[in-house]
Amino acid sequence: LFTLDSDGEWIGSFNNISSLQWLEKFQGVGEFKLVCSWTQDNYDLAENGHSLILMDSPIRMFIEHYEISEDSSDGTILTVRGRSAAQLLDEKTLIGSILIDNAEPGMIRLAKMSSIDLFASASSPYKQVNIELSWDSLLANMLKICDASDIGFEVTHGFPNFSTQDTFTVIKGIDRTLGGSADYIGFFSDANGALSNVQIIKGSENYKNKAVIAGEGNGSTRIYETVEIGTPANPKLVKELFVDASDLPKSYSITNESGSATQGTYSDSQYRRLLRDRGYEELNKYNKDFMVQADFNEDAAVYGVDYLLGDLLPLGFSHLPGRTVRARVSEITRVYKPSEKSIITTFDKFL
């Protein structure tokens, strides 16, 4: 674990570490928590703006917070927290509005508005979206594209050069659920020991499968669209979600990359597509009535070798015979203690 100053120069390493948790995300900003003994050297390293590089991880973390506390058995404890370099997207605001048609180039365009230094080219074919972004942090707008396209991103460091240049990369993930394919790495279940502490949750309290999206206009003249995800044939099982999209007008002002603005009006078909995309974005938040929580045994597959963030893995459960779930790797947490090292894998999408 290396500590860099704001100029990217190595200035030392924390010592007497009792635990380190290092969270990396498919979509969003990672976090870390480091607990160590208070020493003058450790205290000097825990300055806001310093960053940490972990040999096992491509992600650089920025120190943002520390706490000093007393423990009856361990003496004075220093707890250091912070977020990954992706937080650079949360420090800049999108001024005006832009229209995104292709997810990957749109994400890179947003990243270039931040203080991130380098940008990896995204491979085609691109995910088609139709989203108007405006007046929010770059991170909040980035996550809107992620929600609509089901892709992620990461901001990686230039180790071993100890460079402060961070690189923005779009992550699409690999589908590893197709048996016999080159990407298939096996089937994971509690029956074969790959999963443990399985919790299966099914409920329809907040479940919706159809959205009605109302845009510009008033009363009976209001423009609206409907979208569906897995709507059942039985009309009694249709659960509608109302989406108020009155903040989405037909007239727009788009900020160009040069900073100038272009005024225009969406055609009827373009505007209705925007409404449908907004509907899918909101409906995806409610279109889940099945969830599984489980500990993933790293002996079954090695993170960074067999699978990565964003990958889809096939999971099965002895209590659900015959049902296989395609689950996405949304987070991984590297946990370090003096006598052990482990990786906790978190899944957030079950198909």
Short mmCIF file of all heavy atoms in Angstrom, two decimals, residues 113-171:
data_model
loop_
_atom_site.label_atom_id
_atom_site.label_comp_id
_atom_site.label_asym_id
_atom_site.label_seq_id
_atom_site.Cartn_x
_atom_site.Cartn_y
_atom_site.Cartn_z
N MET A 113 -14.97 16.45 -19.49
CA MET A 113 -15.29 17.72 -18.83
C MET A 113 -14.73 17.77 -17.42
O MET A 113 -14.77 18.82 -16.78
CB MET A 113 -16.81 17.91 -18.78
CG MET A 113 -17.49 17.97 -20.13
SD MET A 113 -19.29 18.14 -19.94
CE MET A 113 -19.83 17.93 -21.64
N SER A 114 -14.23 16.64 -16.91
CA SER A 114 -13.69 16.57 -15.55
C SER A 114 -12.20 16.82 -15.58
O SER A 114 -11.61 17.15 -16.63
CB SER A 114 -13.97 15.18 -14.95
OG SER A 114 -13.12 14.21 -15.56
N SER A 115 -11.55 16.64 -14.43
CA SER A 115 -10.10 16.82 -14.33
C SER A 115 -9.35 15.50 -14.53
O SER A 115 -8.16 15.43 -14.27
CB SER A 115 -9.74 17.43 -12.98
OG SER A 115 -10.24 16.65 -11.91
N ILE A 116 -10.05 14.46 -15.00
CA ILE A 116 -9.39 13.20 -15.35
C ILE A 116 -8.49 13.45 -16.55
O ILE A 116 -8.83 14.23 -17.45
CB ILE A 116 -10.44 12.11 -15.63
CG1 ILE A 116 -11.25 11.81 -14.36
CG2 ILE A 116 -9.77 10.83 -16.14
CD1 ILE A 116 -12.44 10.91 -14.58
N ASP A 117 -7.35 12.77 -16.59
CA ASP A 117 -6.33 13.10 -17.58
C ASP A 117 -6.47 12.35 -18.90
O ASP A 117 -6.31 12.94 -19.98
CB ASP A 117 -4.95 12.79 -17.00
CG ASP A 117 -4.71 13.49 -15.67
OD1 ASP A 117 -4.45 14.69 -15.69
OD2 ASP A 117 -4.80 12.83 -14.62
N LEU A 118 -6.72 11.04 -18.85
CA LEU A 118 -6.66 10.21 -20.04
C LEU A 118 -7.97 9.45 -20.23
O LEU A 118 -8.71 9.21 -19.27
CB LEU A 118 -5.51 9.21 -19.93
CG LEU A 118 -4.11 9.81 -19.69
CD1 LEU A 118 -3.11 8.70 -19.41
CD2 LEU A 118 -3.67 10.65 -20.88
N PHE A 119 -8.25 9.07 -21.49
CA PHE A 119 -9.54 8.46 -21.80
C PHE A 119 -9.33 7.32 -22.79
O PHE A 119 -8.86 7.54 -23.91
CB PHE A 119 -10.50 9.51 -22.38
CG PHE A 119 -10.53 10.77 -21.56
CD1 PHE A 119 -9.66 11.81 -21.86
CD2 PHE A 119 -11.36 10.88 -20.47
CE1 PHE A 119 -9.65 12.97 -21.09
CE2 PHE A 119 -11.35 12.02 -19.69
CZ PHE A 119 -10.49 13.06 -20.00
N ALA A 120 -9.67 6.11 -22.37
CA ALA A 120 -9.52 4.95 -23.23
C ALA A 120 -10.68 4.90 -24.23
O ALA A 120 -11.83 5.17 -23.86
CB ALA A 120 -9.49 3.67 -22.40
N SER A 121 -10.38 4.58 -25.47
CA SER A 121 -11.42 4.50 -26.49
C SER A 121 -12.36 3.34 -26.19
O SER A 121 -11.93 2.27 -25.77
CB SER A 121 -10.80 4.31 -27.87
OG SER A 121 -9.97 5.41 -28.21
N ALA A 122 -13.64 3.58 -26.39
CA ALA A 122 -14.64 2.53 -26.16
C ALA A 122 -14.86 1.75 -27.45
O ALA A 122 -14.90 2.33 -28.54
CB ALA A 122 -15.95 3.13 -25.69
N SER A 123 -14.98 0.45 -27.34
CA SER A 123 -15.16 -0.39 -28.52
C SER A 123 -16.62 -0.37 -28.97
O SER A 123 -17.54 -0.29 -28.16
CB SER A 123 -14.73 -1.83 -28.21
OG SER A 123 -15.50 -2.37 -27.15
N SER A 124 -16.82 -0.42 -30.26
CA SER A 124 -18.16 -0.50 -30.81
C SER A 124 -18.54 -1.99 -30.96
O SER A 124 -17.66 -2.85 -30.89
CB SER A 124 -18.21 0.21 -32.17
OG SER A 124 -17.27 -0.38 -33.06
N PRO A 125 -19.80 -2.36 -31.12
CA PRO A 125 -20.93 -1.45 -31.31
C PRO A 125 -21.33 -0.75 -30.02
O PRO A 125 -21.19 -1.33 -28.94
CB PRO A 125 -22.04 -2.38 -31.81
CG PRO A 125 -21.69 -3.71 -31.20
CD PRO A 125 -20.21 -3.78 -31.20
N TYR A 126 -21.83 0.47 -30.16
CA TYR A 126 -22.22 1.25 -29.00
C TYR A 126 -23.65 0.93 -28.59
O TYR A 126 -24.49 0.54 -29.40
CB TYR A 126 -22.11 2.75 -29.31
CG TYR A 126 -20.72 3.20 -29.70
CD1 TYR A 126 -20.53 4.06 -30.77
CD2 TYR A 126 -19.60 2.75 -29.01
CE1 TYR A 126 -19.26 4.48 -31.13
CE2 TYR A 126 -18.33 3.16 -29.36
CZ TYR A 126 -18.16 4.03 -30.43
OH TYR A 126 -16.90 4.42 -30.77
N LYS A 127 -23.92 1.12 -27.30
CA LYS A 127 -25.28 0.98 -26.79
C LYS A 127 -26.08 2.23 -27.17
O LYS A 127 -25.68 3.35 -26.86
CB LYS A 127 -25.26 0.82 -25.26
CG LYS A 127 -24.63 -0.48 -24.77
CD LYS A 127 -25.57 -1.65 -24.95
CE LYS A 127 -25.00 -2.91 -24.31
NZ LYS A 127 -25.10 -2.91 -22.85
N GLN A 128 -27.21 2.01 -27.82
CA GLN A 128 -28.05 3.12 -28.26
C GLN A 128 -28.92 3.62 -27.11
O GLN A 128 -29.61 2.83 -26.47
CB GLN A 128 -28.93 2.69 -29.43
CG GLN A 128 -28.17 2.23 -30.66
CD GLN A 128 -27.38 3.35 -31.31
OE1 GLN A 128 -27.92 4.40 -31.62
NE2 GLN A 128 -26.08 3.13 -31.50
N VAL A 129 -28.86 4.92 -26.85
CA VAL A 129 -29.72 5.55 -25.84
C VAL A 129 -30.21 6.87 -26.42
O VAL A 129 -29.76 7.31 -27.46
CB VAL A 129 -28.96 5.82 -24.52
CG1 VAL A 129 -28.53 4.51 -23.86
CG2 VAL A 129 -27.75 6.71 -24.74
N ASN A 130 -31.12 7.48 -25.74
CA ASN A 130 -31.59 8.82 -26.15
C ASN A 130 -31.91 9.57 -24.87
O ASN A 130 -33.03 9.51 -24.36
CB ASN A 130 -32.82 8.71 -27.05
CG ASN A 130 -33.07 10.00 -27.81
OD1 ASN A 130 -32.66 11.08 -27.37
ND2 ASN A 130 -33.73 9.90 -28.95
N ILE A 131 -30.91 10.25 -24.34
CA ILE A 131 -31.03 10.86 -23.02
C ILE A 131 -30.60 12.33 -23.10
O ILE A 131 -29.57 12.65 -23.69
CB ILE A 131 -30.14 10.15 -21.98
CG1 ILE A 131 -30.44 8.66 -21.94
CG2 ILE A 131 -30.33 10.77 -20.60
CD1 ILE A 131 -29.48 7.89 -21.04
N GLU A 132 -31.40 13.19 -22.50
CA GLU A 132 -30.99 14.58 -22.35
C GLU A 132 -30.42 14.76 -20.94
O GLU A 132 -31.09 14.47 -19.95
CB GLU A 132 -32.17 15.53 -22.55
CG GLU A 132 -31.75 17.00 -22.48
CD GLU A 132 -32.90 17.96 -22.68
OE1 GLU A 132 -34.07 17.51 -22.70
OE2 GLU A 132 -32.64 19.16 -22.81
N LEU A 133 -29.20 15.22 -20.86
CA LEU A 133 -28.52 15.44 -19.59
C LEU A 133 -28.38 16.93 -19.35
O LEU A 133 -28.09 17.69 -20.27
CB LEU A 133 -27.13 14.80 -19.61
CG LEU A 133 -27.05 13.30 -19.98
CD1 LEU A 133 -25.60 12.86 -20.03
CD2 LEU A 133 -27.84 12.46 -18.99
N SER A 134 -28.54 17.35 -18.09
CA SER A 134 -28.41 18.78 -17.82
C SER A 134 -28.28 19.07 -16.33
O SER A 134 -28.74 18.30 -15.49
CB SER A 134 -29.64 19.54 -18.36
OG SER A 134 -30.82 19.13 -17.70
N TRP A 135 -27.57 20.14 -16.01
CA TRP A 135 -27.53 20.81 -14.71
C TRP A 135 -27.48 19.86 -13.52
O TRP A 135 -28.35 19.85 -12.66
CB TRP A 135 -28.71 21.76 -14.58
CG TRP A 135 -28.67 22.86 -15.57
CD1 TRP A 135 -29.45 22.99 -16.68
CD2 TRP A 135 -27.79 23.99 -15.57
NE1 TRP A 135 -29.11 24.12 -17.38
CE2 TRP A 135 -28.09 24.76 -16.72
CE3 TRP A 135 -26.77 24.43 -14.72
CZ2 TRP A 135 -27.42 25.94 -17.03
CZ3 TRP A 135 -26.10 25.60 -15.04
CH2 TRP A 135 -26.43 26.35 -16.17
N ASP A 136 -26.42 19.10 -13.46
CA ASP A 136 -26.15 18.25 -12.31
C ASP A 136 -24.67 17.90 -12.35
O ASP A 136 -23.97 18.27 -13.30
CB ASP A 136 -27.02 16.98 -12.35
CG ASP A 136 -27.28 16.40 -10.95
OD1 ASP A 136 -26.46 16.69 -10.04
OD2 ASP A 136 -28.27 15.69 -10.79
N SER A 137 -24.19 17.20 -11.35
CA SER A 137 -22.79 16.81 -11.38
C SER A 137 -22.52 15.87 -12.56
O SER A 137 -23.43 15.19 -13.04
CB SER A 137 -22.39 16.12 -10.07
OG SER A 137 -22.98 14.83 -9.99
N LEU A 138 -21.29 15.82 -13.01
CA LEU A 138 -20.93 14.89 -14.08
C LEU A 138 -21.20 13.46 -13.65
O LEU A 138 -21.64 12.63 -14.46
CB LEU A 138 -19.46 15.06 -14.46
CG LEU A 138 -19.03 16.42 -15.02
CD1 LEU A 138 -17.54 16.41 -15.33
CD2 LEU A 138 -19.83 16.78 -16.26
N LEU A 139 -20.96 13.17 -12.37
CA LEU A 139 -21.19 11.81 -11.87
C LEU A 139 -22.67 11.44 -11.95
O LEU A 139 -23.02 10.35 -12.41
CB LEU A 139 -20.69 11.69 -10.43
CG LEU A 139 -20.93 10.33 -9.76
CD1 LEU A 139 -20.19 9.22 -10.50
CD2 LEU A 139 -20.52 10.38 -8.29
N ALA A 140 -23.55 12.33 -11.50
CA ALA A 140 -24.99 12.04 -11.53
C ALA A 140 -25.45 11.80 -12.96
O ALA A 140 -26.25 10.89 -13.23
CB ALA A 140 -25.77 13.19 -10.89
N ASN A 141 -24.95 12.60 -13.90
CA ASN A 141 -25.33 12.41 -15.30
C ASN A 141 -24.72 11.13 -15.87
O ASN A 141 -25.34 10.44 -16.67
CB ASN A 141 -24.90 13.63 -16.12
CG ASN A 141 -25.85 14.80 -15.97
OD1 ASN A 141 -27.02 14.71 -16.33
ND2 ASN A 141 -25.37 15.90 -15.40
N MET A 142 -23.50 10.82 -15.44
CA MET A 142 -22.85 9.58 -15.88
C MET A 142 -23.69 8.37 -15.45
O MET A 142 -23.88 7.42 -16.23
CB MET A 142 -21.45 9.49 -15.29
CG MET A 142 -20.63 8.32 -15.78
SD MET A 142 -19.93 8.58 -17.42
CE MET A 142 -18.68 9.83 -17.05
N LEU A 143 -24.19 8.39 -14.22
CA LEU A 143 -24.97 7.27 -13.72
C LEU A 143 -26.31 7.14 -14.44
O LEU A 143 -26.86 6.04 -14.55
CB LEU A 143 -25.19 7.42 -12.21
CG LEU A 143 -23.91 7.28 -11.37
CD1 LEU A 143 -24.20 7.55 -9.89
CD2 LEU A 143 -23.29 5.90 -11.54
N LYS A 144 -26.83 8.24 -14.98
CA LYS A 144 -28.05 8.16 -15.79
C LYS A 144 -27.79 7.37 -17.07
O LYS A 144 -28.62 6.57 -17.50
CB LYS A 144 -28.55 9.57 -16.12
CG LYS A 144 -29.13 10.33 -14.95
CD LYS A 144 -29.59 11.72 -15.36
CE LYS A 144 -30.13 12.50 -14.17
NZ LYS A 144 -30.54 13.89 -14.55
N ILE A 145 -26.63 7.60 -17.67
CA ILE A 145 -26.27 6.83 -18.86
C ILE A 145 -26.08 5.36 -18.49
O ILE A 145 -26.50 4.46 -19.21
CB ILE A 145 -24.99 7.39 -19.52
CG1 ILE A 145 -25.17 8.86 -19.91
CG2 ILE A 145 -24.63 6.57 -20.76
CD1 ILE A 145 -23.94 9.49 -20.53
N CYS A 146 -25.43 5.11 -17.35
CA CYS A 146 -25.22 3.73 -16.89
C CYS A 146 -26.55 3.01 -16.70
O CYS A 146 -26.70 1.85 -17.11
CB CYS A 146 -24.43 3.72 -15.58
SG CYS A 146 -22.71 4.24 -15.72
N ASP A 147 -27.51 3.67 -16.07
CA ASP A 147 -28.81 3.06 -15.83
C ASP A 147 -29.52 2.72 -17.14
O ASP A 147 -30.17 1.67 -17.26
CB ASP A 147 -29.70 3.98 -14.99
CG ASP A 147 -29.25 4.08 -13.55
OD1 ASP A 147 -28.53 3.18 -13.10
OD2 ASP A 147 -29.62 5.07 -12.88
N ALA A 148 -29.40 3.63 -18.12
CA ALA A 148 -30.11 3.43 -19.39
C ALA A 148 -29.44 2.40 -20.28
O ALA A 148 -30.11 1.74 -21.08
CB ALA A 148 -30.21 4.76 -20.13
N SER A 149 -28.13 2.22 -20.14
CA SER A 149 -27.39 1.36 -21.06
C SER A 149 -26.91 0.05 -20.42
O SER A 149 -26.47 -0.85 -21.13
CB SER A 149 -26.17 2.11 -21.60
OG SER A 149 -25.29 2.45 -20.53
N ASP A 150 -26.93 -0.01 -19.09
CA ASP A 150 -26.47 -1.20 -18.36
C ASP A 150 -24.97 -1.45 -18.57
O ASP A 150 -24.53 -2.59 -18.64
CB ASP A 150 -27.27 -2.43 -18.75
CG ASP A 150 -27.28 -3.48 -17.64
OD1 ASP A 150 -27.17 -3.10 -16.47
OD2 ASP A 150 -27.40 -4.67 -17.96
N ILE A 151 -24.20 -0.37 -18.66
CA ILE A 151 -22.75 -0.49 -18.71
C ILE A 151 -22.17 0.33 -17.57
O ILE A 151 -22.86 1.13 -16.93
CB ILE A 151 -22.16 -0.03 -20.06
CG1 ILE A 151 -22.56 1.40 -20.39
CG2 ILE A 151 -22.59 -0.97 -21.18
CD1 ILE A 151 -22.01 1.89 -21.71
N GLY A 152 -20.87 0.15 -17.29
CA GLY A 152 -20.24 0.82 -16.17
C GLY A 152 -18.97 1.53 -16.60
O GLY A 152 -18.70 1.72 -17.79
N PHE A 153 -18.17 1.92 -15.60
CA PHE A 153 -16.93 2.65 -15.89
C PHE A 153 -15.98 2.50 -14.72
O PHE A 153 -16.38 2.14 -13.61
CB PHE A 153 -17.21 4.12 -16.15
CG PHE A 153 -17.78 4.86 -14.96
CD1 PHE A 153 -16.95 5.52 -14.06
CD2 PHE A 153 -19.14 4.89 -14.73
CE1 PHE A 153 -17.46 6.18 -12.96
CE2 PHE A 153 -19.68 5.55 -13.62
CZ PHE A 153 -18.83 6.21 -12.74
N GLU A 154 -14.72 2.79 -14.97
CA GLU A 154 -13.74 2.85 -13.90
C GLU A 154 -12.69 3.90 -14.24
O GLU A 154 -12.51 4.27 -15.41
CB GLU A 154 -13.07 1.49 -13.67
CG GLU A 154 -12.28 0.97 -14.85
CD GLU A 154 -11.69 -0.41 -14.59
OE1 GLU A 154 -11.89 -0.95 -13.49
OE2 GLU A 154 -11.01 -0.94 -15.49
N VAL A 155 -12.04 4.42 -13.20
CA VAL A 155 -10.95 5.38 -13.37
C VAL A 155 -9.72 4.74 -12.75
O VAL A 155 -9.68 4.51 -11.54
CB VAL A 155 -11.27 6.73 -12.71
CG1 VAL A 155 -10.12 7.70 -12.92
CG2 VAL A 155 -12.57 7.31 -13.29
N THR A 156 -8.74 4.40 -13.57
CA THR A 156 -7.58 3.63 -13.12
C THR A 156 -6.33 4.49 -13.09
O THR A 156 -6.24 5.52 -13.75
CB THR A 156 -7.35 2.42 -14.03
OG1 THR A 156 -7.17 2.88 -15.38
CG2 THR A 156 -8.55 1.48 -14.00
N HIS A 157 -5.33 4.03 -12.32
CA HIS A 157 -4.09 4.79 -12.15
C HIS A 157 -2.99 4.26 -13.06
O HIS A 157 -3.17 3.24 -13.76
CB HIS A 157 -3.63 4.74 -10.69
CG HIS A 157 -3.34 3.37 -10.19
ND1 HIS A 157 -2.28 2.61 -10.61
CD2 HIS A 157 -4.01 2.59 -9.28
CE1 HIS A 157 -2.27 1.45 -9.99
NE2 HIS A 157 -3.32 1.40 -9.17
N GLY A 158 -1.85 4.92 -13.07
CA GLY A 158 -0.75 4.56 -13.95
C GLY A 158 0.34 3.77 -13.28
O GLY A 158 1.49 3.82 -13.72
N PHE A 159 0.02 3.03 -12.20
CA PHE A 159 1.03 2.22 -11.52
C PHE A 159 1.68 1.27 -12.53
O PHE A 159 0.99 0.73 -13.38
CB PHE A 159 0.40 1.43 -10.37
CG PHE A 159 1.38 0.66 -9.53
CD1 PHE A 159 2.06 1.29 -8.51
CD2 PHE A 159 1.64 -0.67 -9.80
CE1 PHE A 159 2.98 0.58 -7.75
CE2 PHE A 159 2.55 -1.38 -9.05
CZ PHE A 159 3.22 -0.76 -8.02
N PRO A 160 2.99 1.02 -12.52
CA PRO A 160 3.93 1.33 -11.42
C PRO A 160 4.68 2.64 -11.56
O PRO A 160 5.70 2.85 -10.91
CB PRO A 160 4.90 0.16 -11.48
CG PRO A 160 5.00 -0.13 -12.95
CD PRO A 160 3.62 0.11 -13.50
N ASN A 161 4.18 3.53 -12.43
CA ASN A 161 4.90 4.79 -12.65
C ASN A 161 4.58 5.84 -11.59
O ASN A 161 5.09 6.95 -11.65
CB ASN A 161 4.55 5.33 -14.04
CG ASN A 161 4.96 4.37 -15.14
OD1 ASN A 161 6.02 3.77 -15.07
ND2 ASN A 161 4.11 4.22 -16.14
N PHE A 162 3.70 5.48 -10.63
CA PHE A 162 3.27 6.44 -9.59
C PHE A 162 2.80 7.74 -10.23
O PHE A 162 3.13 8.83 -9.78
CB PHE A 162 4.40 6.71 -8.59
CG PHE A 162 4.73 5.53 -7.73
CD1 PHE A 162 5.97 4.95 -7.80
CD2 PHE A 162 3.79 4.98 -6.89
CE1 PHE A 162 6.28 3.84 -7.03
CE2 PHE A 162 4.08 3.88 -6.11
CZ PHE A 162 5.34 3.30 -6.19
N SER A 163 2.06 7.62 -11.31
CA SER A 163 1.59 8.79 -12.04
C SER A 163 0.28 9.28 -11.45
O SER A 163 -0.55 8.50 -11.00
CB SER A 163 1.39 8.42 -13.51
OG SER A 163 0.74 9.45 -14.21
N THR A 164 0.10 10.58 -11.43
CA THR A 164 -1.19 11.13 -11.00
C THR A 164 -2.16 11.18 -12.18
O THR A 164 -3.27 11.65 -12.04
CB THR A 164 -1.01 12.55 -10.44
OG1 THR A 164 -0.34 13.37 -11.40
CG2 THR A 164 -0.24 12.53 -9.15
N GLN A 165 -1.74 10.70 -13.34
CA GLN A 165 -2.64 10.65 -14.49
C GLN A 165 -3.57 9.45 -14.35
O GLN A 165 -3.13 8.31 -14.31
CB GLN A 165 -1.86 10.57 -15.79
CG GLN A 165 -1.14 11.86 -16.16
CD GLN A 165 -0.59 11.81 -17.56
OE1 GLN A 165 -0.01 10.82 -17.97
NE2 GLN A 165 -0.79 12.87 -18.31
N ASP A 166 -4.87 9.74 -14.26
CA ASP A 166 -5.87 8.70 -14.15
C ASP A 166 -6.56 8.52 -15.49
O ASP A 166 -6.77 9.49 -16.23
CB ASP A 166 -6.89 9.05 -13.07
CG ASP A 166 -6.27 9.13 -11.69
OD1 ASP A 166 -5.81 8.09 -11.19
OD2 ASP A 166 -6.20 10.24 -11.13
N THR A 167 -6.95 7.29 -15.81
CA THR A 167 -7.55 6.98 -17.11
C THR A 167 -9.00 6.54 -16.92
O THR A 167 -9.28 5.62 -16.15
CB THR A 167 -6.77 5.87 -17.82
OG1 THR A 167 -5.41 6.29 -18.00
CG2 THR A 167 -7.38 5.57 -19.19
N PHE A 168 -9.91 7.17 -17.65
CA PHE A 168 -11.33 6.81 -17.64
C PHE A 168 -11.57 5.71 -18.68
O PHE A 168 -11.17 5.85 -19.84
CB PHE A 168 -12.20 8.02 -17.95
CG PHE A 168 -13.67 7.72 -18.00
CD1 PHE A 168 -14.44 7.78 -16.86
CD2 PHE A 168 -14.27 7.36 -19.20
CE1 PHE A 168 -15.80 7.49 -16.90
CE2 PHE A 168 -15.62 7.06 -19.26
CZ PHE A 168 -16.39 7.13 -18.10
N THR A 169 -12.23 4.63 -18.26
CA THR A 169 -12.50 3.51 -19.15
C THR A 169 -13.94 3.05 -18.99
O THR A 169 -14.43 2.92 -17.86
CB THR A 169 -11.57 2.32 -18.84
OG1 THR A 169 -10.21 2.76 -18.90
CG2 THR A 169 -11.76 1.20 -19.84
N VAL A 170 -14.62 2.84 -20.09
CA VAL A 170 -15.97 2.26 -20.07
C VAL A 170 -15.86 0.75 -19.87
O VAL A 170 -15.00 0.09 -20.46
CB VAL A 170 -16.70 2.57 -21.39
CG1 VAL A 170 -18.03 1.82 -21.45
CG2 VAL A 170 -16.93 4.07 -21.54
N ILE A 171 -16.70 0.19 -18.99
CA ILE A 171 -16.73 -1.25 -18.74
C ILE A 171 -18.07 -1.81 -19.22
O ILE A 171 -19.12 -1.32 -18.81
CB ILE A 171 -16.58 -1.58 -17.25
CG1 ILE A 171 -15.39 -0.88 -16.64
CG2 ILE A 171 -16.48 -3.08 -17.04
CD1 ILE A 171 -15.28 -1.09 -15.15
#
